[in-house]
Amino acid sequence: MEPLTWLALAIFAVAIVVVITGWIDSTAAALLGVAAMIWLGVMSEEDAFKIVDWNVMAILISIWTIAGYFGKSGVPEWLSVQALKLSGGHPGFLVVILSMLAGFVSMVVDNVVVILMFAPVAIPIVRHLGMPMTPVILMIGFSANFMGSAMLLGDLPPQMMHSVSGAEFMDFIWHQGKPSSFPILTATFLMTLGIMYWLAFRKFRATTAGTATGPGSMPDAKIPDPLFAAIVLVMFTATVVAMAFREQLGVKLGFIAMTGALLLVLILEVMGDRLRKPSFEDVIQELDWRAVFFYIALFALVGGLEKTGILEKLAHAMQPLFKENLALGATLLFWATIPIVGIVEHDAYILTFLYTIRDLGQQGVDPWPLWWMLLWSGTLGSNLTIAGAPALYVANNICEREESRKIPLREFLRWSVIFTLISSVICYVFGMLIWVLPAMR
């Protein structure tokens, strides 16, 4: 390799190591990596700006804005109390129902936001029933992180896949005549929850008298302003539907999401004091701007690698394996990814290999089975430790704060390993049967 290629690889590796270890703030580390690539001649500042997919950034910020209003609408609290009523006060059922709620909401709302929505509501319910706190909050975190890749809106990896592969909103439901991310991850999720219930949660027992379902026996939650909640839900739904018809509308997904967010803000501002709502300033301030700048830097870092041609060289080196035996190649990709993203920030890993698989596709290898297997394994494997996904870091911090103790790694792994292993095995079987093996015929 040329010296410039080695230099780009070294800068990328150092930046990612600093991100993983947390020696300095992860966003600062990623931005410093981009600055180093520019100053040392790997790419120009103009290259770095153009490499960033601003369409994805528009999706991210716009959906987070709508989700910010959704989180203040009272709907998540109302859903959690309905979950308690639906469970009949049975602790094991409650864990499953709360996990399902978190998982399905995370398909259209960022997973960290989902945890911040549901954990504060789950905590008093868990205490009401005298249940162990840590496994419940961790399951909300695992579930939110899990289902974020089921649709295009919930997390960055599917949005990055849209950027690299061109996968549209409906492609995440049905693609090339086969079920894709939404049906496969949904089936995997439900089966995983069922197995987790059978192995662990059915043994949970309430330790207080709070299991009764009569009046006054359970916490209550009312939506403070039904009209505000209705406006938010209608605009959220309209935005999602419009994004589903992006090809017919002929505009970028980011523009559709931005239009939906701006229309929601306009309606709420015009309604003024007639609604009990947060101010636009409050919603904007609560957006995770550090994460936005981190993702911008991530695109630029991986773009710097791509500019040197190293990803294309990697694809050339991998091409014989995938061309001769796609099943073996997909298996190695899937199961190598699981442990790697457990300790490496999964967004960077996924984006890097999305480009590598794209280059494989240009050499005659069908990229779609590999893109899907990468997306799913990269998402599921990130549930292994708090280093893999920010959502789990947030969930773990909530557990430690509420229980006033340090959560030992062994206790975290007790839940994360079994959840990750079960979901990965199920998803691997679906992926191989539906996507990989048919592509070999």
Side-chain angles (χ1 to χ4, degrees):
M1 292 190 293
E2 297 178 359
L4 197 62
T5 303
W6 282 111
L7 180 61
L9 187 59
I11 295 171
F12 180 83
V14 170
I16 295 302
V17 167
V18 175
V19 167
I20 295 167
T21 57
W23 291 340
I24 63 174
D25 181 83
S26 58
T27 302
L31 289 171
L32 285 170
V34 175
M37 283 190 175
I38 293 172
W39 282 111
L40 294 174
V42 174
M43 59 181 171
S44 69
E45 65 272 30
E46 186 178 359
D47 291 331
F49 184 85
K50 290 180 178 178
I51 285 167
V52 177
D53 192 325
W54 297 104
N55 176 55
V56 168
M57 293 301 107
I59 297 172
L60 198 64
I61 295 172
S62 301
I63 295 299
W64 277 3
T65 301
I66 300 175
Y69 285 108
F70 176 72
K72 304 290 186 183
S73 68
V75 174
E77 292 86 348
W78 182 84
L79 288 173
S80 293
V81 172
Q82 302 316 305
L84 176 57
K85 294 178 180 178
L86 185 62
S87 71
H90 188 291
F93 287 152
L94 179 63
V95 178
V96 172
I97 294 172
L98 286 174
S99 299
M100 287 178 60
L101 280 175
F104 287 121
V105 171
S106 75
M107 292 192 300
V108 292
V109 178
D110 177 75
N111 48 35
V112 173
V113 176
V114 170
I115 295 169
L116 295 176
M117 284 179 184
F118 282 98
V121 185
I123 288 166
I125 295 175
V126 168
R127 287 184 175 144
H128 179 74
L129 295 178
M131 297 167 57
M133 180 75 66
T134 296
V136 178
I137 302 303
L138 290 183
M139 280 298 297
I140 290 174
F142 297 149
S143 301
N145 193 48
F146 185 122
M147 290 298 286
S149 289
M151 300 284 278
L152 196 148
L153 303 180
D155 203 0
L156 186 65
Q159 294 168 21
M160 293 189 302
M161 183 162 167
H162 162 72
S163 173
V164 177
S165 72
E168 297 290 351
F169 186 95
M170 296 304 294
D171 291 330
F172 283 80
I173 301 173
W174 197 264
H175 183 57
Q176 294 184 346
K178 296 186 285 287
S180 54
S181 206
F182 172 70
I184 288 177
L185 285 187
T186 298
T188 301
F189 182 52
L190 295 177
M191 292 173 69
T192 301
L193 289 182
I195 295 172
M196 290 293 294
Y197 171 80
W198 181 258
L199 292 178
F201 302 135
R202 67 189 178 99
K203 302 173 185 176
F204 280 12
R205 295 290 180 267
T207 59
T208 69
T211 56
T213 57
S217 62
M218 293 185 292
D220 194 16
K222 294 182 180 179
I223 297 176
D225 189 335
L227 178 58
F228 167 56
I231 292 172
V232 173
L233 289 174
V234 167
M235 288 306 302
F236 208 155
T237 303
T239 302
V240 172
V241 171
M243 294 178 78
F245 290 93
R246 186 208 71 81
E247 291 179 282
Q248 287 75 21
L249 294 173
V251 294
K252 296 284 188 180
L253 285 174
F255 182 73
I256 296 173
M258 183 176 65
T259 301
L262 291 175
L263 284 176
L264 174 60
V265 171
L266 176 62
I267 292 169
L268 295 178
E269 291 299 308
V270 169
M271 295 289 289
D273 294 336
R274 285 171 284 181
L275 299 175
R276 295 173 60 185
K277 58 178 177 60
S279 68
F280 176 65
E281 291 80 4
D282 289 340
V283 172
I284 289 297
Q285 287 174 4
E286 290 183 3
L287 293 183
D288 192 347
W289 291 105
R290 287 176 60 256
V292 172
F293 281 106
F294 174 75
Y295 295 145
I296 290 172
L298 192 60
F299 270 103
L301 277 173
V302 176
L305 284 185
E306 184 191 12
K307 188 172 177 59
T308 66
I310 191 172
L311 298 183
E312 186 178 356
K313 292 182 177 71
L314 178 61
H316 274 289
M318 297 167 59
Q319 189 254 5
L321 171 63
F322 288 97
K323 205 160 189 178
E324 292 172 14
N325 194 329
L326 184 63
L328 177 60
T331 298
L332 291 175
L333 175 69
F334 189 93
W335 290 109
T337 295
I338 298 290
I340 290 174
V341 297
I343 58 174
V344 173
E345 211 291 322
H346 71 300
D347 293 324
Y349 177 92
I350 291 173
L351 183 58
T352 302
F353 273 88
L354 283 171
Y355 281 114
T356 303
I357 293 170
R358 181 202 61 186
D359 291 338
L360 275 171
Q362 295 171 354
Q363 299 167 34
V365 177
D366 184 358
W368 284 103
L370 301 177
W371 269 327
W372 291 123
M373 295 295 271
L374 171 68
L375 177 68
W376 300 331
S377 58
T379 298
L380 302 183
S382 66
N383 271 328
L384 199 55
T385 73
I386 61 173
L392 302 186
Y393 179 79
V394 172
N396 192 72
N397 282 351
I398 292 174
C399 293
E400 292 184 343
R401 184 189 68 222
E402 294 300 322
E403 297 201 356
S404 300
R405 66 184 179 93
K406 184 77 173 175
I407 304 299
L409 178 61
R410 183 175 179 180
E411 183 177 354
F412 184 93
L413 293 177
R414 174 191 172 196
W415 299 103
S416 69
V417 170
I418 188 171
F419 185 92
T420 301
L421 185 60
I422 292 169
S423 60
S424 298
V425 169
I426 295 171
C427 188
Y428 170 75
V429 172
F430 279 136
M432 292 295 290
L433 292 178
I434 296 174
W435 278 95
V436 177
L437 296 180
M440 297 176 63
R441 295 169 188 162

